[in-house]
Amino acid sequence: MKLNHFTDYSLRVLIYLNKKDKTASSSLDELSGELDILRNHLIKVVQFLSKEELVITKRGKNGGIVISEKALNTGLGTLIHLLEQDDSPVINCHSKPCVFMPFSCQLKFFLDTAYQAFIDSMNQHRLSDIVFNNWESIFAGRQNV
């Protein structure tokens, strides 16, 4: 299984916001620079995260983006499933009709079972479980890159 870019970028944003001082907000420009993600991609990501109440956004001079309690309390598996935005993320036998479907092929069942086990396993963890040895060194000098 491979996570799509949207999920990857969304998780990076949530990890960054989680590690940042909870009262300090971030701007799109800050996220773009620190995470090395194009601002245009981040606009879509932050809009989705805001719509799903995983981040709180505020416009204006004192505005910015902060992580929500919902994001902090949601299992990583649930976050990943939500971000993937697909109820059948591993295989879709109907998108291009498969010749094996009428013959009770069980591949989709096996893959769906494995996907659910992955989600269940990831739900044993929260964003707070993601730790780094030296968080500050990750971003040291990033503004000059």
Side-chain angles (χ1 to χ4, degrees), residues 91 93 104-116:
I91 191 170
C93 300
S104 301
C105 176
Q106 293 187 335
L107 179 61
K108 179 168 177 34
F109 171 76
F110 297 155
L111 291 170
D112 288 346
T113 301
Y115 175 77
Q116 190 57 53

Side-chain angles (χ1 to χ4, degrees), residues 109-137:
F109 171 76
F110 297 155
L111 291 170
D112 288 346
T113 301
Y115 175 77
Q116 190 57 53
F118 168 75
I119 295 298
D120 293 343
S121 174
M122 291 301 293
N123 270 335
Q124 296 175 28
H125 307 284
R126 304 283 181 268
L127 286 167
S128 60
D129 295 329
I130 300 172
V131 295
F132 299 88
N133 289 332
N134 194 351
W135 177 254
E136 290 76 25
S137 70

Side-chain angles (χ1 to χ4, degrees), residues 24 42 48 50 55 64 70-71 87 89 94 97 103 105 129-131 139:
L42 285 174
F48 182 85
S50 178
V55 299
K70 178 180 178 181
D87 288 330
H94 299 285
F103 301 97
C105 176
D129 295 329
I130 300 172
V131 295
F139 304 103

Side-chain angles (χ1 to χ4, degrees), residues 31-103:
L31 292 171
S32 177
E34 296 289 17
L35 300 175
D36 198 22
I37 300 172
L38 292 176
R39 190 177 193 279
N40 288 344
H41 293 311
L42 285 174
I43 290 171
K44 294 176 187 176
V45 165
V46 170
Q47 284 176 339
F48 182 85
L49 294 174
S50 178
K51 183 180 89 97
E52 296 297 327
E53 301 176 344
L54 297 171
V55 299
I56 300 163
T57 59
K58 185 178 175 186
R59 292 180 177 263
K61 181 181 175 188
N62 297 319
I65 306 156
V66 295
I67 196 162
S68 73
E69 285 297 318
K70 178 180 178 181
L72 296 174
N73 296 320
T74 301
L76 290 176
T78 300
L79 286 175
I80 290 169
H81 183 71
L82 174 68
L83 295 168
E84 284 292 302
Q85 302 177 54
D86 190 352
D87 288 330
S88 184
V90 182
I91 191 170
N92 182 345
C93 300
H94 299 285
S95 65
K96 291 184 179 180
C98 178
V99 297
F100 301 118
M101 270 188 1
F103 301 97

